[in-house]
Amino acid sequence: INAEYGGGCINNPTWLENPKYALVLEKETEIRIVLSQPLPPLQIAGCYVLLFKKNNDGLLSSKNLVGKTEFSETKEVQCTLTLAANIYVVLPCTFNPGKEGQFDIALYTEQPCQFVPVPVKQ
């Protein structure tokens, strides 16, 4: 996450500026999402999972939140969810906007899935 695209957590009006990843599930499955920070300094970080459904403005909405990790200044946070076949957005972020840090995301599931970065609008 770099400062330019680090929008902070859902409490901030800039939260949708964070990097996003599309998660496509063809069957209902249990999925574990692990967000890790491989290098210091560690940030207070976490991850949201939203159903991909845009509101009237054409934007994602916090109303479509289906799961999240805790936010913690630790090397790793995770959540386990049972998700229906659908398209989701995984949104990792720092708690406060404008913070930089490296992160890795790992998914563990019994069903095949697609997980790809969503291009940043310029």
Side-chain angles (χ1 to χ4, degrees), residues 24-31 81-86 88 109-113:
V24 181
L25 298 174
E26 305 227 356
K27 293 183 179 179
E28 180 178 293
T29 189
E30 183 175 276
I31 187 165
L81 306 166
T82 299
L83 298 175
N86 217 319
Y88 299 89
T109 179
E110 294 179 0
Q111 298 293 331
C113 68

Side-chain angles (χ1 to χ4, degrees), residues 23 25 29-35 47 49 69 76-83 90 105-111 113 115:
L23 170 62
L25 298 174
T29 189
E30 183 175 276
I31 187 165
R32 184 165 52 112
I33 301 170
V34 180
L35 176 70
C47 189
V49 180
T69 66
E76 182 179 288
V77 292
Q78 61 183 295
C79 65
T80 301
L81 306 166
T82 299
L83 298 175
V90 177
I105 299 177
L107 304 179
Y108 301 92
T109 179
E110 294 179 0
Q111 298 293 331
C113 68
F115 189 67

Side-chain angles (χ1 to χ4, degrees), residues 41-99:
L42 298 179
Q43 300 293 334
I44 300 171
C47 189
Y48 297 111
V49 180
L50 301 108
L51 182 63
F52 181 72
K53 183 177 177 185
K54 294 181 178 181
N55 66 15
N56 293 339
D57 299 330
L59 300 173
L60 291 170
S61 169
S62 60
K63 294 177 184 176
N64 297 322
L65 183 68
V66 296
K68 66 178 184 171
T69 66
E70 291 184 36
F71 279 78
S72 178
E73 191 177 353
T74 58
K75 190 167 176 70
E76 182 179 288
V77 292
Q78 61 183 295
C79 65
T80 301
L81 306 166
T82 299
L83 298 175
N86 217 319
I87 301 172
Y88 299 89
V89 174
V90 177
L91 190 146
C93 58
T94 57
F95 188 78
N96 295 306
K99 299 292 183 180

